[in-house]
Amino acid sequence: MLSCKTFFQTYEARAGYCVLLMTIFWLTSALPEAVTSLLPIVLFPLLDILSTSEVCALYIKQSNIVFFGGVVLALGVERSNLHRRIALRVILTFGTNPRWLMLGFMSVSMSLSLWISNSGVTAMLIPIVNAVVDELFHDSMDVEMGANSLASQHSSIVTLQETGQPTKQCSRSNDIKQKVKVPFLIAVSYAASLGGTGTLIGSGAPLAFKGIFEDLYGSDTGLSFATWMAIGVPVALITTLLAWIWLQVLFAADFKSTANDDCGMRNKEDIKSSIRNQYTELGPMTYYEKSILFLFGLLIVLWVSKDPQFMPGWEDLFHQENRIGDGTVAIAVVVLAFILPSEPNFLCFRKAGEESSSSPALLEWSYVQRKFPWSVLLLLGGGYAISDASKVSGLSVLLANYLSSLATLPPFAVLLIMCFLTSAITEIASNTAIASILLPIVAQITEVAKLNPLYLMMPVTFSCCHAFMLPVGTPSNAMVFSAGKMKPGDMMKAGAVMKIISIFVLCSIMETVGVAIFGLSNSQQSSCIE
C-alpha cells in the first residue's frame, strides 16, 4: 500500500493538494464554508505538513480576537437601534430627491461598514430602502380609492376607474418605483463592500491580511490600525463617490422618469414629513444608545491612538517588554459592555423617591451567542492554517517562482495585474478565503520582484472585497439581488465598470498616499520589510 509520502513526493505537492481541495470546496459550496475551514486540522497532520497542535493553535490568533471584539460591539449598536437612528438622520439631511437620497444611503452604508459587517449593514438598510422608495410614490391602492371616491361624488363625470386610467397610472408608478429601487439597492451593496475595507475590522479580508502579514514579517512593520485607515478611508470615500456618479449615469433614464408629472411620485414635503415621523417615533436618544456610542467611540480612539506611527501613542506610556495588542483593547471595551447597565437606575441617575433597582447590562451573552457569526472565526482560522502551511512547505515560494516573470515589469504594472486577477477571482468565492489563499503567494512575489510586501499585499486585500458583478460575490450582493428582484444583467453592467474604477482608485492611492505613509519611495521600494 502506497503511503501518502510516496504518492505526494514533495511537501509543496501535498500542501498544494490541500489548498486546491479547499479552494474547490469553497468555490462549489460542497461543504459549508466553516466546515471546509476545519479541513486543515485533518489534512495537514495526515500529510505530515503541520502537527495537530500547530494547526489548532492557528485558529485563535490576535486577529480573531480583534474581529470578535469589533463584532460584539457592533451587535450592541444593532440591539440599541442606534444604526437605524443614524440612517434616518442622514436621509433627512440629504433631502428627498432620489439622486441625493441614493448618496445618503451610500454614505450610511459605507460609514457603518467601517465598523459593522457588510452583510449586517445591508440587511439593516434593505427594509429602510424599501420603505423610503415606497414613500416616494403614491401607493396604488390609495390612487384607486381616491378615484372611487371621486366617482361617487361626481357621478356625471366619466371616472378614471371607468376609463382604466388608474390601473395604467398605478402600473406605471409601480414600474418606475421598481426601476428606482434597483439602483438604490445596488448602491447600498457596493458602498458596504467599499466601506468594509476602510478599517482592519470592516470585513474578513483585512483581518486575514493582518494575521498573515504579522505572521510573515512580525508586528514592527509600520502597519497599524491608523495607517491602514489612512489608506482605506480615502479609497472608500473616493470610490463611493465615483460609484454614485457612475450609477447616476447608468440609471439616468430611470431617474429622469421620476421628473414626469404622471410618474406617481409624491410631493417632496409629504415624503420628508413621513420620514421625519419615522425618526420622531424613535424618540430622544436613550441612555442605552449613548452608552453604546461612547464605548464604540472609545474603542476606535484607543485603536487609532495606540501606535499611530506618525506620533507617540498611549502604548508608549507602558514601559514594558511585552506589547499591548489590538486584541487587548477590544476585549477590555467588550468587558465594559457586559458590566455597564443599560438603564440609569443607580446613583445620581435615579429619580427622586425612586428605589434603586438592577438593570440588564448593555450586552447579554445570550444575545451575542445567538447573533455572532461564529463561522467567520473558523474561516479566518482556516485561512491562517493555509498561509502557514504554504510557508512551511515552500508552496508559496514555488508558485511565486512560476510567476517570477512579473518581476521584469514595472512595479505599477505588477500592481494592476494582481489587483485585476484578485478582483476577478473574488466574484466566485469568499473574500476571506481568496485573501487567505493569495496573500502568501503575493508575499513571495514581492520578494522575487524586490518590492515592499505592503505595496502588493494591501491592494490585493482591498481587491478581495471588490466583488461587484455577481450575486454570489458577497452576501450583500445576494441580499440586494433577491430583494430587488433583479436580472443578472443589472448587477453585471454596473459591476464591470465599478471594478475598473475601484482598481484604478486603489492603485493611485497606493502610489501616492501609500508611498508617503509607508516610505515606499523609488529608492526604498525595492527592499522588503526586514
Side-chain angles (χ1 to χ4, degrees):
M1 181 177 177
L2 291 174
S3 67
C4 288
K5 285 188 177 180
T6 305
F7 187 76
F8 298 109
Q9 294 296 320
T10 64
Y11 282 104
E12 294 94 329
R14 280 175 263 157
Y17 167 77
C18 296
V19 173
L20 180 62
L21 182 66
M22 292 180 68
T23 303
I24 292 172
F25 281 6
W26 270 328
L27 291 176
T28 60
S29 298
L31 289 174
E33 284 186 346
V35 177
T36 299
S37 301
L38 292 171
L39 287 179
I41 299 176
V42 178
L43 296 175
F44 290 168
L46 290 178
L47 297 179
D48 195 24
I49 299 170
L50 293 170
S51 69
T52 301
S53 59
E54 287 173 330
V55 178
C56 292
L58 296 169
Y59 278 78
I60 294 295
K61 300 181 71 173
Q62 182 182 193
S63 296
N64 300 69
I65 300 302
V66 170
F67 171 76
F68 175 81
V71 171
V72 167
L73 278 185
L75 290 175
V77 172
E78 293 180 20
R79 192 184 187 196
S80 67
N81 221 22
L82 179 61
H83 58 320
R84 179 173 171 81
R85 181 183 297 278
I86 294 170
L88 290 175
R89 180 69 263 175
V90 171
I91 292 167
L92 280 174
T93 302
F94 278 85
T96 56
N97 184 298
R99 295 179 184 273
W100 293 108
L101 267 177
M102 176 189 282
L103 182 60
F105 274 114
M106 294 181 78
S107 300
V108 172
S109 182
M110 187 209 71
S111 300
L112 292 177
S113 292
L114 293 172
W115 318 106
I116 303 175
S117 71
N118 304 350
S119 54
V121 171
T122 305
M124 181 270 290
L125 286 178
I126 284 175
I128 298 179
V129 168
N130 289 332
V132 169
V133 173
D134 287 342
E135 291 291 345
L136 294 177
F137 296 88
H138 292 291
D139 186 80
S140 58
M141 186 176 291
D142 291 340
V143 175
E144 291 185 5
M145 287 178 64
N148 291 335
S149 176
L150 182 65
S152 64
Q153 294 177 18
H154 305 280
S155 56
S156 59
I157 301 176
V158 178
T159 66
L160 293 174
Q161 184 74 25
E162 292 172 340
T163 61
Q165 187 63 28
T167 303
K168 291 181 180 179
Q169 185 175 351
C170 292
S171 176
R172 173 174 168 75
S173 176
N174 288 334
D175 288 343
I176 295 174
K177 184 196 298 184
Q178 178 63 21
K179 287 180 178 179
V180 170
K181 189 177 292 185
V182 166
F184 268 59
L185 291 172
I186 290 176
V188 164
S189 176
Y190 286 179
S193 295
L194 294 169
T197 60
T199 65
L200 281 170
I201 63 166
S203 57
L207 276 168
F209 161 79
K210 185 177 185 295
I212 292 169
F213 187 75
E214 290 183 351
D215 185 53
L216 292 173
Y217 303 105
S219 57
D220 190 17
T221 58
L223 177 71
S224 67
F225 200 86
T227 53
W228 176 277
M229 285 187 67
I231 304 292
V233 172
V235 169
L237 285 172
I238 295 172
T239 313
T240 299
L241 181 60
L242 293 176
W244 174 68
I245 294 172
W246 162 237
L247 292 175
Q248 299 299 312
V249 173
L250 181 63
F251 295 98
D254 298 330
F255 284 111
K256 189 176 180 180
S257 63
T258 61
N260 298 331
D261 293 335
D262 60 343
C263 72
M265 189 169 177
R266 296 177 58 191
N267 179 277
K268 291 183 179 181
E269 287 302 318
D270 291 344
I271 300 168
K272 196 164 187 176
S273 175
S274 178
I275 298 175
R276 189 182 291 110
N277 288 339
Q278 294 181 47
Y279 183 78
T280 304
E281 287 175 3
L282 294 176
M285 200 168 184
T286 63
Y287 174 84
Y288 189 1
E289 290 173 282
K290 291 176 182 177
S291 299
I292 287 292
L293 185 61
F294 168 75
L295 288 182
F296 217 109
L298 177 65
L299 178 62
I300 295 166
V301 170
L302 289 176
W303 266 340
V304 172
S305 62
K306 182 175 76 71
D307 184 23
Q309 300 292 325
F310 60 87
M311 61 177 288
W314 59 261
E315 184 185 33
D316 297 328
L317 298 175
F318 296 85
H319 301 288
Q320 53 191 41
E321 184 179 347
N322 296 314
R323 295 188 61 189
I324 300 173
D326 292 336
T328 299
V329 177
I331 297 303
V333 177
V334 165
V335 169
L336 277 178
F338 281 96
I339 294 174
L340 297 178
S342 59
E343 295 290 339
N345 298 330
F346 58 94
L347 301 178
C348 59
F349 294 99
R350 194 170 62 249
K351 295 180 181 179
E354 186 180 11
E355 293 185 4
S356 178
S357 59
S358 61
S359 169
L362 294 174
L363 278 173
E364 295 179 336
W365 182 248
S366 58
Y367 179 81
V368 173
Q369 192 174 23
R370 187 172 68 255
K371 291 283 190 176
F372 189 89
W374 299 104
S375 60
V376 179
L377 284 177
L378 296 178
L379 189 59
L380 287 170
Y384 299 146
I386 286 177
S387 172
D388 203 63
S390 298
K391 177 185 174 183
V392 170
S393 67
L395 175 63
S396 56
V397 176
L398 179 68
L399 293 175
N401 288 334
Y402 280 119
L403 296 171
S404 60
S405 58
L406 291 173
T408 61
L409 299 174
F412 191 73
V414 179
L415 180 60
L416 283 174
I417 290 171
M418 293 308 302
C419 287
F420 271 108
L421 177 64
T422 306
S423 188
I425 297 174
T426 197
E427 290 290 349
I428 55 175
S430 161
N431 303 345
T432 308
I434 293 300
S436 302
I437 294 168
L438 290 182
L439 285 175
I441 300 171
V442 173
Q444 290 299 321
I445 291 174
T446 60
E447 293 188 13
V448 173
K450 298 188 183 305
L451 297 170
N452 188 302
L454 287 170
Y455 183 73
L456 287 186
M457 291 181 74
M458 282 187 72
V460 164
T461 304
F462 281 92
S463 298
C464 287
C465 300
H466 291 172
F468 302 121
M469 293 180 65
L470 298 177
V472 296
T474 65
S476 297
N477 285 0
M479 283 189 283
V480 299
F481 184 84
S482 174
K485 300 177 182 177
M486 301 179 196
K487 301 173 183 177
D490 292 335
M491 192 165 281
M492 290 189 71
K493 283 188 297 184
V497 176
M498 268 307 303
K499 275 194 179 296
I500 297 172
I501 291 173
S502 64
I503 289 171
F504 277 100
V505 169
L506 172 58
C507 293
S508 299
I509 293 291
M510 199 63 200
E511 276 287 327
T512 52
V513 181
V515 166
I517 290 175
F518 296 110
L520 306 178
S521 62
N522 292 333
S523 60
Q524 295 172 313
Q525 206 171 46
S526 62
S527 63
C528 295
I529 294 174
E530 297 296 335

